[in-house]
Amino acid sequence: MREVKKAVIPVAGFGTRFLPATKSTPKEMLPIIDKPIIHYIVEEAIKSGIETIIFVTGRHKRAIEDYFDYYPELESILLKNGKKELVESLREISNMAEFVYVRQKEQLGLGHAVLTAKHIVGDEPFAVLLGDELIINDKQPAIGQLISAYYKFGKSVIGTMEVSKEDVSKYGIVAGKSITEGIKLVDYMVEKPKPEEAPSTSAIIGRYVLTPTIFEELEKTPLGKGGELQLTDAMVNLLKKEAIYSKDIEGIRHDTGNKLGYLKAIIDFALMSEDIKEDIKELILKKCKEING
Ligand code: UTP
């Protein structure tokens, strides 16, 4: 069985929920304290054995390329000021993986973004991580959990989490036969169903391991909901040819693509950060008192 060594991270979306900030700053570059969201996602992939990161970017996303590149002018100033360790930590960011960039010329949806990476992925299984979903698990990263399941079943594995009935219309929803604890053999999938039409409350949450057969399906799949090429629609077609599994991901998930999710992530990370956690606790308690009068 081929190993999963490549990850596609689609980051070409406009991030309209964060305008005006995202007019010139990619939403994936918004910081969680002092590290951009995308840095955590790349770390998750690397810790899971990924060696090549394929970013699907757009013309407004150059800051991501710069972030994962060397910055010699800054480095020489830092070195002159005796900050060798800082220079090394910046270089580490660029050396984490092999980074490849491919442009999605039109923002035609997640499925289209994944298809844009076809020629770089080639004929091997690959991971997909959405650039605005943070999932924290110190024991085994989210995408690592799916890669382990892929090695067991040899078929595509979709990351899922249970959501409330009212929230199903925000997600792709899967249903199927339970195989073992947290793993299903998928028999049905639908993108953003109405609550009364949803087959389950098992939601797709931005992590996938896919076999390369998905590209054939993406090429044939017409534009779906919102005039976008939906990855879920292509997976529905893939299901007619190949088994697909879903795995409940263990970890704390933050959807940093919306304002509240982003703020919650910052608070959670601040409460885990050795240097500011005591101060932030004090601040939160003070605010609670003020709010409650
Ligand atoms: P979203 O729909 O959450 O991101 O897509 P968006 O379009 O950037 O955000 P809003 O809804 O306008 O605020 C999920 C992921 O897929 C990428 C996005 O960058 C995001 O990481 N994406 C989406 C693409 O790469 N290309 C697309 O055409 C659409």
Side-chain angles (χ1 to χ4, degrees):
M1 190 189 297
R2 300 268 316 245
E3 284 185 82
V4 182
K5 291 287 164 197
K6 292 179 181 167
V8 175
I9 308 187
V11 291
F14 285 117
T16 52
R17 285 168 288 173
F18 271 98
L19 282 169
T22 43
K23 192 174 166 204
S24 59
T25 305
K27 73 172 173 184
E28 298 81 8
M29 286 300 294
L30 295 175
I32 303 288
I33 312 180
D34 55 1
K35 247 160 76 171
I37 295 162
I38 195 70
H39 188 140
Y40 292 99
I41 292 169
V42 169
E43 278 179 340
E44 177 190 327
I46 307 300
K47 280 184 201 150
S48 307
I50 297 296
E51 291 171 357
T52 304
I53 303 278
I54 305 159
F55 283 116
V56 180
T57 76
R59 64 187 70 76
H60 52 298
K61 298 280 176 146
R62 281 192 205 112
I64 296 176
E65 293 176 46
D66 290 342
Y67 185 77
F68 291 101
D69 198 0
Y70 286 167
Y71 191 171
E73 297 86 346
L74 173 65
E75 287 171 10
S76 66
I77 291 170
L78 292 173
L79 283 177
K80 265 188 214 150
N81 294 332
K83 299 200 165 144
K84 192 162 170 275
E85 271 179 30
L86 186 54
V87 170
E88 278 166 8
S89 70
L90 292 180
R91 285 236 155 187
E92 259 172 42
I93 299 173
S94 320
N95 296 338
M96 279 197 286
E98 182 194 7
F99 294 101
V100 182
Y101 300 89
V102 55
R103 287 276 189 110
Q104 187 187 17
K105 296 190 190 84
E106 281 181 288
Q107 275 62 53
L108 290 178
L110 177 60
H112 183 260
V114 171
L115 183 57
T116 308
K118 178 187 168 194
H119 61 295
I120 304 167
V121 171
D123 191 25
E124 50 186 286
F126 62 103
V128 176
L129 296 90
L130 294 200
D132 56 1
E133 294 266 2
L134 272 183
I135 305 171
I136 310 304
N137 183 320
D138 292 336
K139 287 197 200 114
Q140 189 179 24
I143 199 68
Q145 297 173 32
L146 300 192
I147 293 173
S148 297
Y150 171 79
Y151 289 145
K152 199 163 166 198
F153 299 108
K155 300 288 177 205
S156 298
V157 187
I158 308 169
T160 48
M161 262 188 193
E162 284 299 313
V163 295
S164 65
K165 190 90 180 157
E166 311 84 78
D167 278 346
V168 289
S169 56
K170 296 181 191 157
Y171 298 90
I173 300 292
V174 305
K177 185 169 142 259
S178 188
I179 301 288
T180 52
E181 180 71 28
I183 296 191
K184 282 194 198 111
L185 179 60
V186 176
D187 57 29
Y188 187 70
M189 241 182 285
V190 57
E191 183 62 25
K192 300 190 173 76
K194 291 184 188 139
E196 60 277 16
E197 286 163 13
S200 79
T201 49
S202 196
I204 304 176
I205 51 151
R207 295 292 183 274
Y208 312 77
V209 173
L210 298 169
T211 63
T213 324
I214 192 67
F215 293 123
E216 289 165 29
E217 299 311 323
L218 282 166
E219 275 164 346
K220 286 188 280 187
T221 305
L223 300 184
K225 281 220 167 103
E228 296 191 336
L229 176 45
Q230 300 287 352
L231 183 57
T232 308
D233 292 347
M235 289 191 299
V236 168
N237 293 332
L238 180 65
L239 204 50
K240 293 173 196 151
K241 285 189 181 164
E242 276 186 17
I244 300 180
Y245 292 83
S246 71
K247 159 137 187 49
D248 284 343
I249 288 181
E250 285 161 34
I252 299 167
R253 168 179 174 257
H254 296 290
D255 177 4
T256 59
N258 72 73
K259 289 175 203 169
L260 191 61
Y262 175 62
L263 286 174
K264 276 192 197 153
I266 293 180
I267 294 170
D268 254 30
F269 275 73
L271 288 171
M272 289 186 294
S273 159
E274 280 310 319
D275 54 340
I276 58 169
K277 72 176 179 199
E278 291 310 323
D279 291 338
I280 199 79
K281 258 189 227 165
E282 211 175 291
L283 180 70
I284 291 171
L285 291 171
K286 192 167 155 240
K287 280 281 154 207
C288 287
K289 272 191 198 146
E290 276 174 29
I291 293 166
N292 294 328

